Amino acid sequence: MAADDKWATKVIYRGESHGWEVSADSAHVTGAADLSTAVADDSEPAALAAVTRIVFTPHWHIVRLRVLSRSGQLLADVGGHTSWPP
């Protein structure tokens, strides 16, 4: 039983970290003009708005998104295991 659980965990992890949805979601994030502008402007409110929009867009599988400024400061952190759509 433990071997089956270990195998299932590996299969699920592989799909969640390298599946086609990862590529699609990465494109959603990197293509978000509002997020790019927020980071360029070091704007926490704009970053929070953009990240919230991205995380809670229906049919996208983005559970958590943390965004740092160019200097490494946290601009926005939305989602996680306890998050629910607003």
Side-chain angles (χ1 to χ4, degrees):
M1 185 67 118
D4 290 340
D5 289 344
K6 188 174 181 178
W7 175 83
T9 300
K10 284 184 179 182
V11 169
I12 291 168
Y13 178 77
R14 190 175 308 123
E16 289 292 316
S17 62
H18 301 294
W20 66 268
E21 283 184 335
V22 175
S23 296
D25 291 337
S26 178
H28 293 311
V29 173
T30 59
D34 55 344
L35 182 56
S36 294
T37 300
V39 172
D41 294 343
D42 284 330
S43 173
E44 288 183 30
L48 180 59
V51 169
T52 299
R53 177 189 64 75
I54 292 167
V55 170
F56 294 115
T57 296
H59 309 294
W60 291 1
H61 188 81
I62 299 173
V63 176
R64 182 179 187 186
L65 182 58
R66 292 176 51 125
V67 174
L68 305 178
S69 69
R70 292 169 290 164
S71 64
Q73 297 298 315
L74 181 66
L75 292 177
D77 184 0
V78 175
H81 72 281
T82 60
S83 69
W84 292 96

